[in-house]
Amino acid sequence: MTKAGDNLAIDVRGLTKTFGKRKAVDSVDIAMPRGQVWGFLGPNGSGKTTTIRMLCGLLRPDAGQGTCLGYDILKHSREIKRQVGYMTQKFSYWEDLTIRENLEFVANLYDIANKKQVVDDTLEQLGLTTRQKQLAGTLSGGWKQRLALAACTLHSPKMLMLDEPTAGVDPQARRDFWDQIHRLSAQGLTVLVSTHYMDEAERCDQIVYIAYGKLMAQGRVEDIIDQSGLYTFVAEGTGVRELMERLRNKTGADHVAYFGNALHVSGGNLDALTALIKGEQVVGIIWHQARPSLEDVFIHLMGQSVDNTAVA
Amino acid sequence: MFAALNRILAILIKEFIQMRRDRMTFGMMIMVPVVQLTLFGFAINSDPRHLPTLLYLEDESAVVRSLAAGLQNSTYFDIEGQVSSAKEGTDALQSGKVAFVITVPAGFTRDLLRGDKPQVLIEADASDPSAASNAVGMIQQIVNSALRQDLKGEWAGLSQAPPPVDIIVHRMYNPEGISQYNIVPGLLGVILTMTMIMITSIAMTRETERGNMENLLAMPARPWEVMVGKIVPYIGVGLVQTAIVLLASAYIFGVPFIGSFWLLALGVALFIIANLAVGFTFSTIARTQMQAMQMTFFFFLPSLLLSGFMFPFRGMPEWAQAIGQIFPLTHFLRIVRSVMLKGSDFAAMWPNIWPLLVFIAVATAVAMKRYRSTLD
Ligand SMILES: Nc1ncnc2c1ncn2[C@@H]1O[C@H](COP(=O)(O)OP(=O)(O)OP(=O)(O)O)[C@@H](O)[C@H]1O
Ligand SMILES: [Mg+2]
């Protein structure tokens, strides 16, 4: 019963979904080994949620095939649903049930052993034991996320698909959440998590970057940066923000972004970029070449994909 | 001042845009008046004619034949045939096949010609008093004028007042013509239709609207498990409603209950399931709770008007009766009224039970087919 793809948690090829005339997901291939934590990134509307829904059997792909945890995504969605914990982007637990009732409902649907104990433990871990009788709808946004995460791991799934689980969650809770993800992953759980946070992307074993439905990059963060063919200069000092408008649309500077108290100017052509920077030496501003950050690369990839779709 | 106008205008435009987007609401705004006009204008008739009638003739003669012809020509009675025993006639009344049984006793012609004022017995199904009342009110006149044509020559004197025959009317099942006897059991059907369909369709659409559906679908529950799990609680609700109506019917309105409780229970169970299946089907079509509500209303309105609850079923033209036969309420009304007031048995009710079974089968099939286990 051992096949070549058995060590892959997700193995899909040519996954495509069309809504009306628009291809929300266009021929996406993903081969993800078991036990890893993968980040799923891409701009808004790029097709992350749609892809995840197809992987766990909530949407039928228009084209493509493959397996999830060894089960055919087209034929065996029931088995997939049993073993996957899916956390929706929008809170989708029952707001008119209490926290405890929601957890009990999930426990019953999956028919897990030791229901009461598991629910009690989960409440304890969440620190919600004293608030278990509160209606889920009255929780704050971040707490809803935390409840949803706890609920979707209740049945000890083999794989987690988390759609922006940390959106609106405070930094401490976000850190706790990632610690938990890594703890679960160490126990053999596979995790695919979509996010817009760069620091979260960097905590992943690998990332998949998708834009306008097309897979743009896949691999380790380091490799993606290395393979981007991007060069970045960073300007620091007083008044760098004023430089921003000037450098925009200048030849050589494909992207100009201000973050982390510094101006990041990136481009694919090193000579043109160097020439541009040479002409922009101002007193009080220090330029140095730096390794492009993931964010620089993503902004670059996003720009490329726009060009692609414009041509297509 | 202008600012206020602008704000009002902004809201007004937004409402118009939303109204146009919601195709179903838009359709309802057009369809409701059309349906109401059609039903009230063409289908409903409070002077029902062509009521099915059986004759029990113990005496057959030319006079009796012209009496029968006179009944037929009056358009109030449709003579569907003859029975050969009084029991056969009673059975036909009890099962609701006919509205009247008219008995011409032995020796009728002889007594008539002798001027002895023979009797004609008309047994009317008065479980729906308004359905029978006009025909019953007209019968003396109809009989008199039918006989007048035959009573000529030496018997012409008989056709003069006072009337040559004595018409005995038996209002069966509801001798005093109390309309509550008809309405209160009927209300049970109306209440169940309204609440069962509305509650299920709204409860299900709410989950779609709030996004719970995505979560539920991501968990390993089979469609039929979801369907059964969602419907069963409302069967309980329906049973509670039934108990309330029946108790009120017995203790407040004094409606008799002479039939089998278990036969009624069977009818109620089938009827509840039929309505829940409709509600479930609606929930697979409606996208919002508002649409579910509208679909409920759109089903409820013709049910109410064409089932025989508000207006006599037999008073409607055939096309309207044919449509009326589709609705579970039509059959349920007959079951509940017959069982309670007439004491009908299972065999007599079978013609109304099987349509409910067919309805359930079809509605469930549609619901299952439309129920999607994906978000597509
Ligand atoms: N049910 C639907 N009907 C029509 N179009 C849809 C539907 N669901 C998604 N889309 C479209 O598919 C595209 C991809 O949407 P998707 O939700 O997968 O993006 P996403 O990457 O999850 O975005 P975000 O980061 O904002 O969550 C979008 O253009 C969206 O408008
Ligand atoms: Mg999304």
Side-chain angles (χ1 to χ4, degrees):
Chain A
M1 186 50 224
T2 41
K3 284 177 290 174
D6 257 7
N7 58 341
L8 292 180
I10 297 178
D11 184 14
V12 292
R13 285 169 306 280
L15 217 53
T16 301
K17 182 75 190 178
T18 315
F19 291 116
K21 281 190 193 137
R22 184 208 220 107
K23 275 192 178 160
V25 176
D26 190 358
S27 275
V28 166
D29 303 343
I30 300 174
M32 175 180 179
R34 289 182 194 246
Q36 292 200 348
V37 178
W38 277 28
F40 198 12
L41 288 100
N44 292 135
S46 55
K48 300 183 296 294
T49 301
T50 308
T51 306
I52 293 178
R53 282 175 174 167
M54 284 193 282
L55 290 175
C56 57
L58 283 174
L59 282 177
R60 273 194 84 77
D62 295 322
Q65 53 179 332
T67 59
C68 180
L69 294 171
Y71 298 106
D72 191 313
I73 56 163
L74 295 171
K75 294 190 200 115
H76 301 129
S77 57
R78 235 179 100 73
E79 279 73 16
I80 296 175
K81 286 173 186 180
R82 241 180 230 296
Q83 302 191 4
V84 168
Y86 170 47
M87 177 174 164
T88 56
Q89 180 170 3
K90 176 177 177 271
F91 183 72
S92 61
Y93 285 86
W94 284 263
E95 303 210 337
D96 44 2
L97 293 187
T98 64
I99 295 166
R100 185 182 190 93
E101 286 161 348
N102 268 298
L103 293 175
E104 281 172 346
F105 175 69
V106 174
N108 282 324
L109 253 187
Y110 285 99
D111 198 24
I112 61 173
N114 251 334
K115 283 166 203 149
K116 191 180 174 318
Q117 191 59 48
V118 172
V119 170
D120 284 341
D121 290 350
T122 308
L123 285 168
E124 186 68 46
Q125 272 172 30
L126 275 172
L128 284 175
T129 310
T130 51
R131 292 162 72 185
Q132 54 178 291
K133 295 225 173 76
Q134 192 179 333
L135 292 185
T138 63
L139 284 172
S140 76
W143 275 102
K144 280 184 186 162
Q145 296 292 93
R146 292 160 78 163
L147 169 64
L149 182 72
C152 78
T153 51
L154 206 64
H155 62 292
S156 344
K158 294 205 174 120
M159 170 155 192
L160 284 179
M161 299 205 198
L162 309 172
D163 200 353
E164 298 192 27
T166 54
V169 170
D170 69 54
Q172 180 59 47
R174 219 144 65 84
R175 199 166 284 180
D176 294 347
F177 162 81
W178 275 97
D179 287 348
Q180 198 191 341
I181 293 288
H182 285 130
R183 209 167 40 243
L184 290 168
S185 142
Q187 294 163 14
L189 193 81
T190 314
V191 184
L192 179 64
V193 50
S194 84
T195 178
H196 291 293
Y197 296 114
M198 292 306 127
D199 62 313
E200 294 188 353
E202 278 160 2
R203 290 169 186 252
C204 296
D205 295 317
Q206 284 204 23
I207 54 174
V208 176
Y209 186 87
I210 176 175
Y212 299 95
K214 292 211 175 65
L215 196 93
M216 303 296 294
Q218 177 177 340
R220 295 179 339 111
V221 172
E222 300 303 306
D223 297 342
I224 287 184
I225 294 176
D226 288 345
Q227 287 157 19
S228 66
L230 200 66
Y231 302 93
T232 300
F233 283 86
V234 175
E236 278 167 301
T238 40
V240 283
R241 285 237 293 267
E242 282 74 63
L243 267 178
M244 197 162 152
E245 285 314 312
R246 277 237 309 281
L247 288 174
R248 237 187 252 284
N249 302 324
K250 287 263 169 71
T251 26
D254 294 347
H255 314 285
V256 183
Y258 180 81
F259 56 88
N261 267 330
L263 191 69
H264 295 235
V265 184
S266 317
N269 185 336
L270 184 58
D271 295 338
L273 189 61
T274 319
L276 176 70
I277 300 303
K278 282 234 170 71
E280 291 295 340
Q281 300 295 340
V282 184
V283 186
I285 291 181
I286 302 155
W287 284 98
H288 61 93
Q289 190 175 358
R291 185 175 162 73
S293 70
L294 198 55
E295 186 154 343
D296 293 320
V297 175
F298 284 160
I299 291 169
H300 176 65
L301 286 172
M302 209 163 129
Q304 270 185 352
S305 66
V306 176
D307 296 345
N308 285 350
T309 41
V311 173
Chain B
M1 185 60 214
F2 274 121
L5 267 180
N6 275 335
R7 286 190 293 265
I8 291 172
L9 199 65
I11 293 170
L12 189 138
I13 290 171
K14 171 189 136 300
E15 290 300 317
F16 265 121
I17 294 173
Q18 288 175 314
M19 202 192 289
R20 212 184 49 200
R21 289 277 143 76
D22 187 353
R23 292 268 170 80
M24 190 171 290
T25 306
F26 205 67
M28 288 284 292
M29 285 188 279
I30 312 287
M31 287 304 285
V32 167
V34 170
V35 169
Q36 296 244 28
L37 281 171
T38 314
L39 295 187
F40 279 103
F42 300 111
I44 286 158
N45 175 5
S46 49
D47 181 21
R49 298 188 182 219
H50 299 288
L51 299 168
T53 304
L54 286 176
L55 297 179
Y56 177 38
L57 304 180
E58 289 179 328
D59 181 25
E60 294 199 48
S61 68
V63 178
V64 173
R65 273 194 296 279
S66 60
L67 178 73
L71 290 169
Q72 179 81 36
N73 291 340
S74 73
T75 72
Y76 278 101
F77 302 92
D78 265 3
I79 310 290
E80 302 215 318
Q82 291 192 22
V83 290
S84 46
S85 70
K87 179 170 185 312
E88 217 182 299
T90 316
D91 287 350
L93 273 180
Q94 200 180 46
S95 68
K97 273 200 209 80
V98 294
F100 300 103
V101 174
I102 296 176
T103 305
V104 178
F108 172 84
T109 315
R110 185 195 61 216
D111 291 350
L112 177 73
L113 298 183
R114 262 197 226 147
D116 276 356
K117 248 194 139 184
Q119 294 185 334
V120 168
L121 173 66
I122 171 161
E123 291 163 296
D125 176 355
S127 58
D128 183 354
S130 62
S133 62
N134 279 10
V136 167
M138 294 300 289
I139 191 160
Q140 182 83 54
Q141 207 182 321
I142 293 166
V143 168
N144 288 352
S145 68
L147 292 178
R148 191 167 301 135
Q149 317 210 330
D150 278 304
L151 298 175
K152 291 196 180 116
E154 60 174 306
W155 293 297
L158 288 174
S159 69
Q160 306 307 312
V165 294
D166 198 6
I167 291 178
I168 315 275
V169 177
H170 277 184
R171 289 192 174 79
M172 310 283 284
Y173 316 120
N174 183 3
E176 289 142 83
I178 300 172
S179 58
Q180 273 90 339
Y181 285 15
N182 185 52
I183 289 171
V184 175
L187 262 181
L188 175 59
V190 172
I191 291 169
L192 286 176
T193 305
M194 187 73 196
T195 46
M196 292 294 100
I197 298 182
M198 191 161 74
I199 294 178
T200 24
S201 60
I202 284 188
M204 305 269 304
T205 339
R206 188 174 54 206
E207 303 226 307
T208 316
E209 223 178 57
R210 294 187 184 169
N212 303 137
M213 214 56 199
E214 181 172 9
N215 203 336
L216 194 59
L217 289 176
M219 296 197 251
R222 291 196 183 88
W224 72 267
E225 294 166 346
V226 176
M227 184 157 165
V228 171
K230 289 194 163 243
I231 276 183
V232 167
Y234 298 112
I235 295 184
V237 173
L239 292 178
V240 170
Q241 290 184 327
T242 307
I244 293 172
V245 175
L246 289 183
L247 287 173
S249 157
Y251 296 109
I252 299 176
F253 298 102
V255 180
F257 191 138
I258 61 172
S260 150
F261 175 79
W262 292 110
L263 181 56
L264 182 68
L266 172 72
V268 168
L270 291 178
F271 183 63
I272 289 177
I273 294 171
N275 282 312
L276 292 178
V278 173
F280 197 93
T281 307
F282 285 177
S283 75
T284 64
I285 300 168
R287 295 230 187 77
T288 61
Q289 298 182 57
M290 170 87 164
Q291 291 184 343
M293 191 89 149
Q294 290 171 336
M295 293 180 78
T296 305
F297 181 69
F298 208 67
F299 183 86
F300 182 67
L301 185 69
S303 284
L304 199 64
L305 297 177
L306 297 181
S307 60
F309 174 72
M310 286 181 92
F311 307 97
F313 189 80
R314 290 196 173 107
M316 302 189 301
E318 279 187 12
W319 62 264
Q321 292 195 16
I323 298 173
Q325 299 281 10
I326 297 170
F327 295 106
L329 182 59
T330 308
H331 301 283
F332 179 71
L333 285 180
R334 293 181 191 156
I335 294 174
V336 66
R337 286 171 178 168
S338 301
V339 171
M340 285 180 70
L341 303 177
K342 304 182 186 177
S344 304
D345 60 7
F346 182 83
M349 285 300 99
W350 176 245
N352 294 311
I353 289 174
W354 71 257
L356 285 180
L357 291 172
V358 171
F359 188 93
I360 291 171
V362 172
T364 312
V366 173
M368 291 301 280
K369 182 150 175 49
R370 284 211 49 104
Y371 181 82
R372 285 151 301 187
S373 45
T374 62
L375 294 169
D376 287 274

